[in-house]
Amino acid sequence: MTDCRLVIHGGAGVIDRASLSANREAQFRQALQDIAAAAFERLTSGASALEVVESAVMALEDFPLFNAGHGAVLNADGIAELDASIMDGATRSAGAVAAVRTSRNPVQLARAVMAQTEHVLLAGEGGDRLAAELGLPQVEGAYFVTKERAHQQALAARLGKVTLDHDSAYNGPAPNDKSGTVGAVARDMCGHLAAATSTGGMTNKRAGRCGDTPIIGAGTWADDDSCAVSATGHGEYFMRTVLAYDVHARLRYGGQSLIDAGNAALASVAALGGTGGLIAVDRYGEIAMPFNSEGMYRAWVGADGLVNVAIYTN
Ligand code: ASP
């Protein structure tokens, strides 16, 4: 039996300390703490890494301040189009959905694509139709839209920008203290690894734009022989560097440590001009959480079994 590990994130970006009120910061920290504690409890009770990353990401999707599920950012048409993926390190099975609009928990649908179809990635209406057929909860588009996200999108549209959730475009009148994309990686009692990621993408993106999150190998990866990875940041750069698979390849073929692999893979993103971060756990239980943005909302449980929460360097 191996020790369990868990890491979750709520997005990386320019998280302006001055504009994040103590009250809001406390809400984020509490949500990360509670969701990580519940997920780790499940792991130590014998749940599989796959089950735990799915349920942790569902809880993060349901929390309105994160950019996933309820509270996701809006595209240029003012609509939430959601991306999610999940991967099982034990079998290297994977499932993903892109630009779905009515499925309440996109990560749950991604798992259904993995478990109940012969496909890996379903996009748009076909994804939502599968969810409805399987009886997964469906909602009106309005369910995802919070007042703050509508305000944020209107401002980005006025500035003519497509932005990461925390970009400085939001400094000024718009609320800029919300967090981003969500994800989870875990190692369970049997030593299996899994990863899941879910997002509304980037504010004011073109309708139909998909980022790294639903792309297996870019935003999400898990392989029991190496590591599990969930990424967050400017997705186009993470796709162009195949970030999550790059971390895996550096372990598998380059013999690098998880910390070195995570830093080097993120350096490739930075070299192209991209910002963001990643969370990862390897087969030995090492954890890495590098980011090159001002902050990354995260919580983790290492060998001591205690939940840690951090936003900036602490
Ligand atoms: N990676 C996501 C995307 O580009 C956004 C984020 O992580 O904040 O869609």
Side-chain angles (χ1 to χ4, degrees):
M1 226 156 71
T2 54
D3 288 342
C4 302
R5 298 285 189 278
L6 176 85
V7 192
I8 61 174
H9 72 78
V14 180
I15 304 167
D16 182 14
R17 260 186 202 261
S19 66
L20 181 60
S21 71
N23 183 29
R24 292 283 273 213
E25 181 171 339
Q27 284 181 46
F28 284 125
R29 286 182 182 271
Q30 194 64 54
L32 289 165
Q33 168 85 34
D34 292 348
I35 293 168
F40 193 70
E41 166 74 34
R42 292 198 66 206
L43 276 177
T44 54
S45 307
S48 71
L50 186 68
E51 284 162 17
V52 169
V53 295
E54 181 192 10
S55 60
V57 168
M58 285 176 72
L60 291 159
E61 286 174 341
D62 291 343
F63 184 70
L65 300 183
F66 292 124
N67 171 19
H70 179 48
V73 300
L74 306 179
N75 71 11
D77 298 340
I79 293 169
E81 285 191 332
L82 308 155
D83 300 338
S85 62
I86 190 164
M87 189 162 179
D88 180 7
T91 58
R92 266 178 56 179
S93 303
V97 289
V100 293
R101 291 181 171 197
T102 59
S103 299
R104 196 182 72 191
N105 289 102
V107 73
Q108 190 183 31
L109 177 55
R111 183 159 178 204
V113 171
M114 175 181 116
Q116 302 192 46
T117 77
E118 57 190 313
H119 307 302
V120 168
L121 172 61
L122 285 186
E125 197 267 329
D128 288 319
R129 203 184 324 148
L130 173 72
E133 278 168 26
L134 294 175
L136 300 180
Q138 295 295 289
V139 291
E140 296 290 320
Y143 163 80
F144 300 111
V145 183
T146 62
K147 225 165 76 191
E148 289 179 357
R149 294 302 190 192
H151 186 187
Q152 194 177 26
Q153 192 268 321
L155 179 69
R158 210 155 56 233
L159 296 171
K161 291 193 169 192
V162 177
T163 47
L164 267 183
D165 199 24
H166 314 288
D167 278 356
S168 49
Y170 305 124
N171 289 342
N176 60 350
D177 58 351
K178 297 166 305 304
S179 56
T181 292
V182 305
V185 296
R187 185 177 75 152
D188 66 25
M189 275 178 157
C190 301
H192 296 310
L193 304 177
T197 314
S198 181
T199 190
M202 293 179 73
T203 302
N204 205 36
K205 64 187 181 182
R206 286 190 79 93
R209 178 267 187 187
C210 304
D212 59 314
T213 302
I215 307 300
I216 296 301
T220 300
W221 180 262
D223 183 342
D224 279 6
D225 283 343
S226 58
C227 59
V229 181
S230 169
T232 170
H234 196 144
E236 279 70 5
Y237 296 95
F238 286 70
M239 293 158 89
R240 289 164 57 202
T241 56
V242 202
L243 181 281
Y245 184 80
D246 190 23
V247 177
H248 155 85
R250 286 171 186 279
L251 263 61
R252 192 89 170 78
Y253 312 118
Q256 289 188 2
S257 71
L258 186 70
I259 303 279
D260 289 349
N263 288 337
L266 197 56
S268 305
V269 167
L272 296 182
T275 56
L278 64 98
I279 57 171
V281 60
D282 73 8
R283 56 195 292 227
Y284 305 110
E286 281 302 316
I287 283 173
M289 303 172 285
F291 54 94
N292 66 6
S293 48
E294 198 170 316
M296 181 168 75
Y297 291 85
R298 60 204 186 279
W300 68 99
V301 187
D304 61 7
L306 301 174
V307 179
N308 303 273
V309 175
I311 299 176
Y312 307 100
T313 46
N314 54 39

